[in-house]
Amino acid sequence: MVSICKRIALHSSRRNTVYLCVRLANTFMDPKELVTGLEKRELLNEEAGKDPDPYGLAIKRGPGTKDKPTLVSSAFDSRIIGCVCDDESSHINWMWLHKGNSTRCECGFWFKLVEKPPL
Amino acid sequence: MTNHMNHTFHMVNQSPWPLIGAMGAMITLTGTIKWFHQYEQTLMSIGMITMIMTTIQWWRDITREGTYQGLHTSKVTKGLRWGMILFITSEVFFFVSFFWAFFHSSLSPTNELGSMWPPTGIQVFNPLQIPLLNTAILLSSGVTITWAHHSILENNYNQGLQGLFMTVILGLYFTALQAYEYMESPFTIADSVYGATFFVATGFHGLHVIIGTTFLITCLMRHLTLHFSSNHHMGFEAAAWYWHFVDVVWLFLYISIYWWGS
Ligand SMILES: [Zn+2]
C-alpha cells in the first residue's frame, strides 16, 4: 500500500513538472511550426510564391483528341472530373475517370488519368 | 490516407455524433414534455446529458482535425466561415420573431391591457439601473474581445489571454446580474403578454449569452494549450462573431423592451 502511494505521489509530481514546463512555454509558436498536414503544405506553397492553386484543380483543356487527351492527374485509381463542354455551356458535365484507358465526354473531348503522387 | 491526396478538400470520416446528437435532441424534447405533464425530470436529464456529451466530443473531434491533423485548408476554413455566417443569420431571424411579437402587442395595446404599454398593473424595471449596467458590460466585452483578436493576430500571447479572460469574466458578470434581476422581478412570465414577451425575449438572449460564454471559455482553454496562432484561429473568430451577435441583440432588447417599452 505504502509503495503504491509512493509511486502515485512520485508519478503525479513528475507529471506536474512536465506540466509546468509546458506552461512556462506560454508564448506563441511561429505559425509555421503550429500548422501541420495539408494546411502546412498550403502555407509553405504560398510562402514560396508558387501557384495559388497548388492542387491543380482547374485544368485547361488541350487539343483533347483521342491521340492527345487532356491529362488529369490523381493520386488515386479514379476521380471525378467536370467538363465545361463549350463556352456557352451553362452547366458542368460530371463524369468518372478511371486509370488506364482515356474517357470521352459527350462533347467529344478526351481525358486521361495520369498518376501523380500526393504532394 | 487523408493527408495523401492532391486536393484541398476535407474528406470527413464517419462520426457517431450526428446520430447520437439527434437522439439526444429527441430524448430532450420528449423528456421536457414529460416534465411539463408529470413533473418528472429523469428523461429530460438523460437527454440533456446526451446532448452535452455529444457537443463536447463533436467539437473535440473538429479541434483535432483542424489543429492536430492540419485538415482545415483555406478552402475548408472558407466553408466553416460560411457555415457560421448562415447559422448567425438564422439566429437573427429567431430573435426577429420575438421582437415581432413584442411590437405586435405593444404598438397597439388591446383593451384587456388597459389600452396602454406597459399594461395596467405591470411594474417594469427601471432601464437606468441594472439594464444600463448590463449594456455597459456587454459593450465593454465587445472591446475586450477585439483586443484579444488583435493580440492573437499580432502573435501577442499574453494580451490575447488577458483580453479573452476579461471577456469571459464580463460574460459571467452579465449572466449573474440577469439572474439577480429575474429573482427580483415584480412580474412573471404568466403576467399578461408583457411578461410573456419580456421573459421569452430576454430569456433566450440570456441562454445565448451562456452559450457564447461557453464558446469563449473553450477558446480560452484552447489558447492556454497553444492551439492558436496568428493565422490559425478560426474557432476564436467564430466565437467573436457569435459574441458580437449576442451583444447587438442586447442593444435592441435594451432600446425597445427596457427603454422604449417602459
Ligand atoms: Zn464536355
Side-chain angles (χ1 to χ4, degrees), chain B residues 34 39 60 93 109 122 141 146 149 152 165 170 192 215 221 261:
Chain B
K34 191 176 161 67
Y39 310 103
R60 177 208 62 189
F93 285 99
I122 294 284
S141 75
T146 306
H149 192 189
I152 290 174
F165 182 72
L170 288 166
S192 86
F215 201 169
M221 294 193 303

Side-chain angles (χ1 to χ4, degrees), chain A residues 22-23 25-29 31 34-43 55 57 74-76 116-119, chain B residues 3-9 66-70 72-74 155-157 223-224 226-232:
Chain A
V22 171
R23 291 303 315 121
N26 61 356
T27 178
F28 270 135
M29 284 184 275
L34 179 71
V35 288
T36 175
L38 287 170
E39 196 188 358
K40 183 167 199 162
R41 205 183 291 164
E42 207 170 57
L43 190 73
Y55 306 98
L57 287 176
S74 173
F76 303 111
K116 183 186 171 194
L119 283 170
Chain B
N3 267 326
H4 298 286
M5 54 201 188
N6 280 324
H7 62 73
T8 172
F9 302 101
T67 305
Y68 296 139
Q69 295 182 277
H72 288 181
T73 58
S74 53
N155 266 330
N156 189 334
Y157 178 87
H223 188 64
L224 280 170
L226 299 167
H227 279 200
F228 297 136
S229 78
S230 56
N231 67 359
H232 183 107

Side-chain angles (χ1 to χ4, degrees), chain A residues 89-117:
Chain A
S89 175
S90 57
H91 74 287
I92 301 172
N93 223 353
W94 298 102
M95 71 207 94
W96 273 98
L97 205 55
H98 299 283
K99 207 161 134 186
N101 33 7
S102 9
T103 301
R104 179 180 167 278
C105 177
E106 283 172 1
C107 66
F109 270 93
W110 286 82
F111 300 93
K112 189 172 168 45
L113 194 77
V114 287
E115 179 123 22
K116 183 186 171 194

Side-chain angles (χ1 to χ4, degrees), chain B residues 73-83 234:
Chain B
T73 58
S74 53
K75 208 162 207 126
V76 174
T77 311
K78 208 173 177 178
L80 293 173
R81 277 170 209 278
W82 271 108
M234 173 60 219

Side-chain angles (χ1 to χ4, degrees), chain B:
Chain B
M1 165 204 141
T2 34
N3 267 326
H4 298 286
M5 54 201 188
N6 280 324
H7 62 73
T8 172
F9 302 101
H10 178 190
M11 312 306 280
V12 288
N13 299 110
Q14 287 95 329
S15 161
W17 309 128
L19 184 64
I20 296 179
M23 291 194 308
M26 186 68 194
I27 295 169
T28 307
L29 176 72
T30 318
T32 308
I33 295 167
K34 191 176 161 67
W35 174 44
F36 286 170
H37 286 271
Q38 297 169 5
Y39 310 103
E40 214 273 311
Q41 299 181 16
T42 318
L43 195 62
M44 186 178 68
S45 309
I46 292 170
M48 297 277 265
I49 290 166
T50 312
M51 294 274 284
I52 290 167
M53 295 307 289
T54 303
T55 50
I56 291 172
Q57 290 172 101
W58 195 338
W59 273 310
R60 177 208 62 189
D61 286 357
I62 296 171
T63 300
R64 286 174 176 173
E65 289 160 0
T67 305
Y68 296 139
Q69 295 182 277
L71 288 162
H72 288 181
T73 58
S74 53
K75 208 162 207 126
V76 174
T77 311
K78 208 173 177 178
L80 293 173
R81 277 170 209 278
W82 271 108
M84 197 64 199
I85 289 169
L86 292 172
F87 169 64
I88 290 178
T89 308
S90 75
E91 291 269 77
V92 167
F93 285 99
F94 180 72
F95 278 97
V96 162
S97 66
F98 302 134
F99 281 102
W100 192 297
F102 170 75
F103 285 115
H104 172 90
S105 307
S106 60
L107 282 172
S108 59
T110 58
N111 281 341
E112 292 84 340
L113 298 175
S115 301
M116 61 182 217
W117 195 270
T120 324
I122 294 284
Q123 210 191 320
V124 300
F125 290 117
N126 183 347
L128 298 179
Q129 290 174 359
I130 285 181
L132 185 61
L133 176 57
N134 271 337
T135 307
I137 290 167
L138 280 193
L139 286 178
S140 324
S141 75
V143 175
T144 55
I145 199 163
T146 306
W147 168 30
H149 192 189
H150 281 269
S151 306
I152 290 174
L153 283 175
E154 281 164 32
N155 266 330
N156 189 334
Y157 178 87
N158 285 321
Q159 290 207 17
L161 185 66
Q162 288 156 16
L164 209 40
F165 182 72
M166 287 307 294
T167 316
V168 168
I169 294 295
L170 288 166
L172 294 175
Y173 186 25
F174 177 92
T175 306
L177 283 175
Q178 277 300 77
Y180 174 77
E181 183 109 302
Y182 272 22
M183 286 188 292
E184 294 282 294
S185 170
F187 55 89
T188 74
I189 195 168
D191 284 324
S192 86
V193 74
Y194 185 91
T197 52
F198 179 90
F199 280 109
V200 168
T202 61
F204 269 117
H205 175 263
L207 178 68
H208 282 74
V209 171
I210 292 168
I211 294 168
T213 311
T214 313
F215 201 169
L216 287 170
I217 290 171
T218 309
C219 288
L220 184 67
M221 294 193 303
R222 292 187 66 197
H223 188 64
L224 280 170
T225 43
L226 299 167
H227 279 200
F228 297 136
S229 78
S230 56
N231 67 359
H232 183 107
H233 53 266
M234 173 60 219
F236 171 84
E237 276 182 21
W241 291 349
Y242 193 79
W243 193 251
H244 284 305
F245 156 71
V246 166
D247 193 355
V248 170
V249 170
W250 172 260
L251 290 181
F252 280 101
L253 282 176
Y254 180 72
I255 291 168
S256 48
I257 296 182
Y258 285 93
W259 190 13
W260 175 81
S262 70

Side-chain angles (χ1 to χ4, degrees), chain A residues 30-60:
Chain A
D30 179 2
K32 250 191 298 175
E33 272 180 78
L34 179 71
V35 288
T36 175
L38 287 170
E39 196 188 358
K40 183 167 199 162
R41 205 183 291 164
E42 207 170 57
L43 190 73
L44 294 176
N45 184 76
E46 196 180 301
E47 217 177 53
K50 283 190 196 150
D51 189 357
D53 178 19
Y55 306 98
L57 287 176
I59 298 166
K60 273 256 182 318

